[in-house]
Amino acid sequence: MLMARRSLYRFIRLPDWLFFSTAQPVMFVLLFTYVFGGAIQVPTGNYIDFLLPGILVQSVLFGTSATAVGLAEDISKGAFDRYRSLPMSRSAVLAGRILADTANNVFVMGLMILVGYLIGFRFQGTLLQALSMPVVVIIFTIPFSWIQAWIGTAVKSVEAANLAGFVWMFPLTFVSSAFVPIDSMPGWLQPVAQANPFSVAVDAARALALGQEAGPDVVKTLLWSAAIMIVVVPLAVRGYRRA
């Protein structure tokens, strides 16, 4: 909690970073809705209802890159050497940063839902489904924050962390059901998009937002999240030891 508070103080003291971290997701919502929305046919009929759950998952996933950059910056400034001399858990540095970044992502997600409502998005299910949708999104993105923590402790510079934290997320997010129906993709690409864990999370969030049966997709999302955590948490902690 102390490490999380330290990171949150940095967010508050860097208002320009906070502004740009929230401006980009909002721009994505507006651009996709008004530039591409008229050309894309979706089962829901209203593109913003189809789009917003997917772009929520994408934006929060992109937001996890701050974890890699922040940890790489701490390494470059020698902060890790001081942490290792203290009587504290090795995972506390990583978990604290991830907790702070998750809090920021919750704020970004709330802002995006507000913008979505202003341009026509509406939850169509029960109150429980509406509240569950952002919870499922956050649960899914936490393992990816640990992936970013691993990247941040493995690379040699802040610049490399910035690039490495983003590059692999583009095919993951765009070859998915986030922006277009999968059946509109080429036949050879559809199995890839369907097997993509990002598609599973988007489908779960979309079903909850639209009041549809979401149980199977939510279960798959939780299983994917648990499986990724089991693999990457030890890798991230080992990376911290070696940084």
Side-chain angles (χ1 to χ4, degrees):
M1 295 302 295
L2 287 171
M3 297 304 300
R5 186 173 68 178
R6 168 184 176 267
S7 296
L8 288 172
Y9 279 154
R10 293 178 67 185
F11 296 159
I12 296 172
R13 292 167 183 167
L14 296 172
D16 52 345
W17 184 90
L18 186 62
F19 171 77
F20 287 110
S21 70
T22 55
Q24 178 179 314
V26 171
M27 289 175 60
F28 267 117
V29 172
L30 297 177
L31 288 173
F32 271 89
T33 301
Y34 292 113
V35 176
F36 301 113
I40 300 175
Q41 300 298 318
V42 294
T44 60
N46 187 1
Y47 186 61
I48 184 60
D49 289 337
F50 178 89
L51 170 72
L52 191 66
I55 212 163
L56 276 178
V57 185
Q58 183 218 39
S59 297
V60 177
L61 194 65
F62 280 6
T64 63
S65 64
T67 302
V69 174
L71 292 174
E73 185 178 11
D74 280 346
I75 294 173
S76 67
K77 293 181 178 179
F80 273 28
D81 295 330
R82 294 194 291 272
Y83 295 151
R84 276 193 284 261
S85 69
L86 298 174
M88 59 190 290
S89 168
R90 291 183 177 90
S91 62
V93 176
L94 308 181
R97 176 71 201 206
I98 289 170
L99 183 59
D101 289 336
T102 300
N104 181 67
N105 284 333
V106 170
F107 172 75
V108 170
M109 195 158 44
L111 180 61
M112 292 178 66
I113 292 173
L114 175 61
V115 172
Y117 255 77
L118 292 176
I119 61 176
F121 171 78
R122 294 295 183 270
F123 286 106
Q124 299 175 23
T126 64
L127 177 62
L128 179 60
Q129 287 177 312
L131 294 174
S132 299
M133 190 266 275
V135 173
V136 170
V137 174
I138 288 297
I139 290 174
F140 177 72
T141 54
I142 288 175
F144 290 90
S145 293
W146 281 97
I147 293 176
Q148 297 286 11
W150 178 31
I151 292 172
T153 57
V155 298
K156 302 301 182 183
S157 68
V158 177
E159 293 78 7
N162 191 29
L163 293 173
F166 261 111
V167 170
W168 61 274
M169 288 193 290
F170 277 96
L172 182 72
T173 56
F174 282 95
V175 184
S176 72
S177 59
F179 308 110
V180 298
I182 290 178
D183 58 14
S184 67
M185 299 179 183
W188 61 268
L189 191 58
Q190 291 182 21
V192 178
Q194 289 169 349
N196 185 349
F198 186 83
S199 292
V200 175
V202 169
D203 291 344
R206 184 174 290 133
L208 289 169
L210 299 178
Q212 300 171 351
E213 173 57 42
D217 288 323
V218 170
V219 171
K220 291 177 185 178
T221 301
L222 297 178
L223 290 175
W224 266 112
S225 300
I228 296 171
M229 286 282 286
I230 291 170
V231 174
V232 300
V233 170
L235 292 173
V237 174
R238 186 172 66 177
Y240 168 70
R241 292 173 180 170
R242 295 179 175 180

